[in-house]
Amino acid sequence: MDSHVLTPALPFRLSAPLPGWALPRGREPSEADAAFSAGIALKSLDDLVQSGPLWGGCWRARQALRCATSAVRLMGRNEEEAALRDAVLLTMRGDDPGPAGKVFLAY
């Protein structure tokens, strides 16, 4: 049986550095400065994810598990990450994973 040849991922290029006018100038940063910096951080993260790294699927699955854990807590349930993961991964195809497992599957 032949193995599939893995093609190397394209190298990630960082966004261009910020121009001088975008950097704070010796004053206390305001809420607008913080929002601007948060936007830059989100754009950099988006560039990284859009580059299609090999670990992207694992990262997205981990984020989905964390989001599902938060959503389950907001529903008033007490399942932890491990219980959610087990509810989905240890359930046979076609069986009911329970309410918390359904939330995880939705993510």
Side-chain angles (χ1 to χ4, degrees):
M1 181 192 281
D2 293 332
S3 298
H4 294 285
V5 177
L6 293 177
T7 57
L10 297 174
F12 173 68
R13 287 183 356 161
L14 289 175
S15 299
L18 286 177
W21 57 264
L23 301 173
R25 296 196 178 152
R27 60 180 169 75
E28 190 67 29
S30 66
E31 286 185 23
D33 294 330
F36 185 73
S37 296
I40 293 169
L42 287 173
K43 172 67 172 127
S44 298
L45 182 61
D46 183 58
D47 289 344
L48 175 64
V49 171
Q50 293 296 325
S51 70
L54 293 175
W55 47 264
C58 181
W59 182 70
R60 285 188 295 273
R62 184 73 183 152
Q63 293 300 316
L65 179 59
R66 289 224 164 168
C67 290
T69 302
S70 296
V72 166
R73 282 199 187 118
L74 288 172
M75 292 170 49
R77 302 185 64 84
N78 60 356
E79 284 89 346
E80 298 292 326
E81 284 185 10
L84 277 175
R85 185 182 58 238
D86 292 347
V88 172
L89 296 179
L90 298 178
T91 303
M92 297 293 290
R93 184 178 297 266
D95 287 348
D96 184 21
K102 288 179 183 178
V103 171
F104 180 34
L105 288 174
Y107 277 96

